[in-house]
């Protein structure tokens, strides 16, 4: 089984992470931080007061003191107890609020980072992992950013408590405290081993749980439900379910044995400690050097050590978890940024010349290169179809062209200048790119077209673009017109557009930006072939004065282009007009024939 703990690499030391978190809280509200430390009184004094009260009771009984003295002491104790309890609750609430406020700051930091992170890093396995894991730091209710200060301060108070109790016992019997502390350290060390195993167990259980969830979810989904029945996959699922359950039992058994050993050793150590304390104090009582009341008080103090040790161990475990999450969060914040294009698009830019010169490219950690020696030149204003089977590398070419990735070898130039020599913002200004996965933001239709803040949106231009995209009529029929909000996720008054309408919105968006290079990377993949062809022709008409790349695996959709580039095995295998490629009887002609036959058969059926 994969041990998830092995996958995790800390970048910062514990001390660096502690400093980072403490500085964050301190900068937010130092007064509240200090105030929350006053919980020292309830946390340490309350148990001490109850021991003192027991001592007083016994003292009163043994020494035949008056009932009045006892009642006054009890009332006094209840009063102090009540006040300290109220203080404790109050401090708990204000400390929680402090954690919530600090977490919100980290939430903003993460939000800002998500916008600026370099795209190739975001897409890399490490980038994806850190993006996902960094969420945990701000999402946890009982850990991470929200609970760190609470855990840290309680740990601090517990350490102080143990020091105070040690001082009292040390004053009564100096060598006893040496024994008690030595045993406490041993118990603590066992607890740390136990903690480490708990963390490993938790991670293994999480991985196992994901498998369990996968099986449950797949069986629940209707699409999978059909296949499961049609292909008789029940035995496979049953066997997998059995394996996953067995794996879980094995984890429980493996750790159960270790925990039993730790628990037994701890119980033995506690027994040795308590026995030593009893023997020492009983001897003192018998020798008349200790009163029965002091005996109860001192034994209570020694027994109290178990509580302190347990509390400290628990808080150390929580803190370790908080610091690990913090480390991943910081690694996420450290990911490199890209310079964003904040300036409005420059609509005066002329169509560009694009050239790929012996470009080679592999994704990080990939064994096989995606592009192997890709060379082509596109003249300003030319419309190019980039075609090839799925996975041929068409999208990769476009990502390289936009500068989202840099080639491993070779050069990509726009108007003679290498893409790596452009400032990122300057380069991105030259592109209007529409990909399969598009975003419609929960803002107005107008802003979704301009992709600019409301104040900078040119309403007349939006109207013109929507009209060109044949969407204006539909939008104007809506009560709020261009101001209609899209995406029901954030607003109930918003509307959701149909698939075809969304394509038109994308077209309007591309027209609005009016960049000199247009990239259309199958934004119409969800449409049927005829609708895709119609949409592409529409883009073609609208963008006649720009350099445009049309990507599709449906060859009929891009016949109209000036030139077609067929990408095969990482190279440009064929290049020419549709007719030239058909006449050449190469791969393009074969693919075109197969696809045409398929669509003809579909139509006849
Ligand atoms: P196409 O657009 O022609 O369908 P892509 O350019 O999307 O092809 O992908 C080309 C190859 O690169 C595929 O094998 C794909 O699995 C791989 N690939 C795409 N994106 C990544 C990535 N971020 N990391 C690793 N491999 C990737």
């Amino acid at each position: 089984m994969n041990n998830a703990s092995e996958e995790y690499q800390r970048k910062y030391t514990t001390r660096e992470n502690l400093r980072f978190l403490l500085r964050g809280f301190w900068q937010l509200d130092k007064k509240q931080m200090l105030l929350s430390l006053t919980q020292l009184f309830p946390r340490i004094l309350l148990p001490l007061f109850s021991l003192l009260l027991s001592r007083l009771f016994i003292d009163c009984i043994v020494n035949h003191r008056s009932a009045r003295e006892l009642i006054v002491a009890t009332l006094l104790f209840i009063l102090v107890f009540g006040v300290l309890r109220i203080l404790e609750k109050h401090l708990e609430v204000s400390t929680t609020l402090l954690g919530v406020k600090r977490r919100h700051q980290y939430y903003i930091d993460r939000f800002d980072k998500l916008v600026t992170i370099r795209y190739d890093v975001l897409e890399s396995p490490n980038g994806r992992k850190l993006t996902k894991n960094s969420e945990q730091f701000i999402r946890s209710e009982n850990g991470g950013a929200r609970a760190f200060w609470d855990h840290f301060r309680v740990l601090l108070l517990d350490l102080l408590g143990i020091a105070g109790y040690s001082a009292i016992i040390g004053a009564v019997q100096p060598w006893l405290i040496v024994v008690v502390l030595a045993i406490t350290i041993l118990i603590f060390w066992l607890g740390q081993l136990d903690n480490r195993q708990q963390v490993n167990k938790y991670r293994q259980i999480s991985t196992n749980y994901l498998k369990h969830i996968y099986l449950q979810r797949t069986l629940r989904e209707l699409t999978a439900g059909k296949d499961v029945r049609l292909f008789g996959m029940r035995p496979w699922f049953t066997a997998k379910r059995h394996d996953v359950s067995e794996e879980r039992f094995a984890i429980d058994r493996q750790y159960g044995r270790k925990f039993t050993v730790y628990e037994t050793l701890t119980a033995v150590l506690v027994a040795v400690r308590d026995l030593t304390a009893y023997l020492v104090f009983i001897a003192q009582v018998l020798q008349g050097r200790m009163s029965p009341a002091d005996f109860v008080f001192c034994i209570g103090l020694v027994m109290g050590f178990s509580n302190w040790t347990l509390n400290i161990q628990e808080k150390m475990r929580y803190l370790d978890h908080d610091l690990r999450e913090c480390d991943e969060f910081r690694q996420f914040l450290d990911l490199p940024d890209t310079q964003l294009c904040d300036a409005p698009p420059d609509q005066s830019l002329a169509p560009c010349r694009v050239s790929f010169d012996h470009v080679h490219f592999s994704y990080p950690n990939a064994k096989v290169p995606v592009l192997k020696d890709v060379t082509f030149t596109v003249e300003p204003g030319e419309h190019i179809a980039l075609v090839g089977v799925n996975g041929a590398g068409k999208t990769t070419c476009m990502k390289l062209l936009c500068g989202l990735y840099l080639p491993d070898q070779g050069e990509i130039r726009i108007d003679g200048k290498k893409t790596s020599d452009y400032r990122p913002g300057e380069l991105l200004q030259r592109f209007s790119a529409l990909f399969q996965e598009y975003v419609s933001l929960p803002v107005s239709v107008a802003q979704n077209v301009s992709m600019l803040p409301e104040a900078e949106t040119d309403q007349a231009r939006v109207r013109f673009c929507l009209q060109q995209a044949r969407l204006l009529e539909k939008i104007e029929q809506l009560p709020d017109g261009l101001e209609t909000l899209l995406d029901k996720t954030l607003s109930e008054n918003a509307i959701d557009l149909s698939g075809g309408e969304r394509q038109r919105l994308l077209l309007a968006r591309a027209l609005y930006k009016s960049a000199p290079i247009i990239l259309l990377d199958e934004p119409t993949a969800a449409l049927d072939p005829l609708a895709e062809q119609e949409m592409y022709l529409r883009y073609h008409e609208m963008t006649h004065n720009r350099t445009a790349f049309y990507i599709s695996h449906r060859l009929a959709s891009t016949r109209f282009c000036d030139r077609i580039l067929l990408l095969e095995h990482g190279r440009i295998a064929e290049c020419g007009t549709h007719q030239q490629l058909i006449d050449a009887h190469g791969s393009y002609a074969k693919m075109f024939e197969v696809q045409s036959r398929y669509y003809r058969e579909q139509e006849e059926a």
Side-chain angles (χ1 to χ4, degrees):
M1 178 184 286
N2 223 353
N3 186 347
S5 62
E6 285 162 16
E7 291 166 19
Y8 174 67
Q9 290 267 319
R10 273 200 187 183
K11 181 174 172 187
Y12 296 97
T13 61
T14 302
R15 201 191 311 168
E16 284 167 337
N17 282 327
L18 269 178
R19 206 180 306 142
F20 172 83
L21 284 165
L22 287 172
R23 200 185 314 125
F25 275 87
W26 186 252
Q27 281 165 356
L28 179 70
D29 195 341
K30 35 182 116 37
K31 224 164 69 194
Q32 187 56 48
M33 246 177 124
L34 292 175
L35 193 70
S36 65
L37 283 179
T38 48
Q39 204 186 12
L40 179 75
F41 301 108
R43 193 161 180 92
I44 297 175
L45 297 186
L46 274 177
L48 203 61
F49 273 22
S50 16
L51 283 178
L52 283 171
L53 190 71
S54 313
R55 182 181 180 278
L56 189 72
F57 273 125
I58 295 169
D59 197 37
C60 286
I61 293 162
V62 173
N63 297 321
H64 307 291
R65 291 191 201 275
S66 71
R68 200 168 146 267
E69 215 174 314
L70 201 60
I71 291 167
V72 170
T74 310
L75 286 179
L76 197 67
F77 174 78
I78 290 172
L79 188 71
V80 173
F81 191 87
V83 170
L84 288 180
R85 268 262 173 272
I86 292 168
L87 181 66
E88 189 179 25
K89 289 292 151 205
H90 176 77
L91 288 171
E92 253 171 40
V93 173
S94 52
T95 310
T96 304
L97 274 177
L98 184 68
V100 170
K101 275 201 262 172
R102 186 58 248 184
R103 176 173 65 178
H104 188 68
Q105 301 276 331
Y106 288 128
Y107 167 78
I108 295 172
D109 292 347
R110 183 169 182 275
F111 193 88
D112 291 346
K113 185 73 194 179
L114 280 171
V115 186
T116 57
I117 206 163
R118 229 173 58 197
Y119 183 80
D120 57 329
V121 175
L122 185 67
E123 213 181 39
S124 67
N126 187 44
R128 283 187 223 198
K129 190 185 92 191
L130 288 175
T131 307
K132 182 168 148 274
N133 292 359
S134 62
E135 196 182 346
Q136 197 55 30
F137 178 64
I138 47 175
R139 225 179 47 180
S140 320
E141 274 306 314
N142 302 318
R146 172 30 212 97
F148 160 75
W149 173 241
D150 196 25
H151 294 156
F152 185 76
R153 129 202 116 102
V154 172
L155 176 71
L156 219 67
L157 298 180
D158 286 350
L159 285 172
L160 266 175
I162 213 166
Y165 277 38
S166 305
I168 303 174
I169 299 172
V172 179
Q173 186 51 269
W175 68 264
L176 178 65
I177 194 59
V178 176
V179 176
V180 170
L181 281 180
I183 291 180
T184 304
I185 289 169
L186 277 177
I187 295 176
F188 187 74
W189 174 71
L190 279 174
Q192 284 303 96
L193 293 182
D194 187 65
N195 274 353
R196 215 169 296 155
Q197 296 302 328
Q198 294 271 16
V199 170
N200 287 345
K201 180 182 173 189
Y202 174 74
R203 286 191 190 141
Q204 290 192 7
I205 286 180
S206 306
T207 316
N208 175 273
Y209 185 65
L210 286 180
K211 293 180 191 172
H212 177 73
I213 293 279
Y214 166 79
L215 291 175
Q216 295 278 345
R217 201 183 47 211
T218 313
L219 285 177
R220 205 180 54 219
E221 277 168 6
L222 292 179
T223 28
K226 276 198 239 73
D227 285 354
V228 170
R229 284 160 184 76
L230 281 170
F231 293 101
M233 288 169 77
R234 190 175 145 208
W236 184 87
F237 273 95
T238 311
K240 275 283 161 216
R241 204 254 316 119
H242 178 262
D243 290 350
V244 173
S245 303
E246 279 304 313
E247 191 178 78
R248 174 62 207 259
F249 295 143
I251 299 171
D252 285 333
R253 273 196 302 273
Q254 181 195 354
Y255 288 100
R257 277 193 292 271
K258 288 183 183 166
F259 294 146
T260 314
V261 174
Y262 293 145
E263 296 292 322
T264 313
L265 285 175
T266 307
V268 170
L269 286 169
V270 169
V272 171
R273 182 197 64 196
D274 294 352
L275 192 67
T276 317
Y278 270 103
L279 288 177
V280 169
F281 294 137
I282 287 172
Q284 294 205 346
V285 172
L286 292 179
Q287 285 160 10
R289 288 196 283 132
M290 183 183 265
S291 69
D294 282 341
F295 174 82
V296 170
F297 178 67
C298 289
I299 281 291
L301 284 182
V302 175
M303 305 292 139
F305 264 75
S306 291
N307 268 343
W308 294 117
T309 331
L310 269 181
N311 282 339
I312 290 174
Q313 254 154 19
E314 190 191 56
K315 292 296 170 287
M316 295 278 279
R317 192 166 61 230
Y318 291 165
L319 263 182
D320 186 57
H321 200 76
D322 300 343
L323 293 177
R324 191 177 69 83
E325 287 180 352
C326 168
D327 196 85
E328 286 194 302
F329 180 73
R330 292 182 72 189
Q331 288 190 46
F332 167 76
L333 291 186
D334 291 344
L335 290 175
D337 283 331
T338 193
Q339 190 193 332
L340 289 174
C341 173
D342 282 337
D346 182 352
Q347 280 143 14
S348 63
L349 290 169
C352 302
R353 171 179 284 104
V354 170
S355 67
F356 273 54
D357 190 8
H358 300 288
V359 169
H360 294 247
F361 178 76
S362 308
Y363 282 101
N365 306 327
K367 292 195 181 82
V368 193
V370 181
L371 303 182
K372 294 174 262 184
D373 202 9
V374 171
T375 300
F376 63 85
T377 303
V378 177
E379 295 304 325
E382 221 185 343
H383 282 198
I384 294 291
L386 191 58
V387 300
V389 294
N390 278 335
K394 305 179 294 289
T395 301
T396 307
C397 276
M398 295 301 104
K399 288 184 199 162
L400 283 161
L401 181 58
C402 295
L404 297 177
Y405 285 88
L406 290 178
D408 300 333
Q409 270 181 54
E411 282 167 7
I412 301 172
R413 290 175 185 272
I414 294 177
D415 285 340
K417 184 167 160 182
K418 277 200 271 181
T419 46
S420 52
D421 291 344
Y422 281 91
R423 282 182 289 113
E426 194 191 1
L427 185 65
L428 290 174
Q429 266 203 335
R430 284 170 163 70
F431 294 100
S432 248
L434 302 185
F435 292 101
Q436 246 182 63
E437 315 84 25
Y438 58 88
V439 273
S440 70
L441 301 173
V443 290
S444 68
V445 171
Q447 277 184 270
N448 262 291
V449 172
S450 71
M451 296 298 267
L452 291 169
E454 203 177 337
E456 290 166 35
T457 299
D458 177 347
Q459 299 285 331
R461 189 175 170 77
V462 168
R463 205 172 287 278
F464 173 76
C465 296
L466 283 171
Q467 190 186 29
Q468 295 290 304
R470 298 200 190 139
L471 190 61
L472 186 63
E473 207 179 314
K474 150 96 193 180
I475 300 296
E476 286 195 325
Q477 280 166 8
L478 300 168
D480 295 328
L482 292 185
E483 293 316 308
T484 308
L485 296 176
L486 289 189
D487 200 331
K488 284 193 187 298
T489 333
L490 291 190
S491 165
E492 277 182 21
N493 302 330
I495 60 150
D496 284 328
L497 295 175
S498 71
E501 287 162 355
R502 265 180 258 160
Q503 302 307 330
R504 292 179 198 283
L505 182 87
L506 291 188
L507 173 54
R509 187 183 284 173
L511 294 174
Y512 188 98
K513 186 169 178 190
S514 187
I517 308 175
I518 304 246
L519 309 179
L520 298 163
D521 187 354
E522 305 202 79
T524 46
L527 302 183
D528 65 59
L530 285 180
E532 174 177 276
Q533 193 178 7
E534 193 212 314
M535 194 57 95
Y536 267 22
L537 278 170
R538 188 116 196 95
Y539 278 106
H540 180 54
E541 283 165 26
M542 304 281 102
T543 57
H544 56 88
N545 55 348
R546 330 255 176 87
T547 308
F549 288 86
Y550 289 84
I551 293 185
S552 181
H553 60 277
R554 293 163 177 163
L555 305 184
S557 305
T558 52
R559 270 185 303 188
F560 60 82
C561 285
D562 301 323
R563 254 185 321 145
I564 293 162
L565 306 179
L566 175 75
L567 200 56
E568 208 174 37
H569 309 303
R571 293 187 178 84
I572 302 295
E574 293 175 24
C575 168
T577 62
H578 171 72
Q579 202 49 51
Q580 284 168 344
L581 295 187
I582 292 290
D583 293 345
H585 300 292
S587 296
Y588 179 87
K590 271 192 219 129
M591 277 166 70
F592 189 79
E593 169 53 23
V594 171
Q595 287 191 0
S596 309
R597 201 175 334 129
Y598 171 77
Y599 288 125
R600 268 201 307 276
E601 282 167 10
Q602 290 271 315
E603 249 170 62
E604 281 164 19

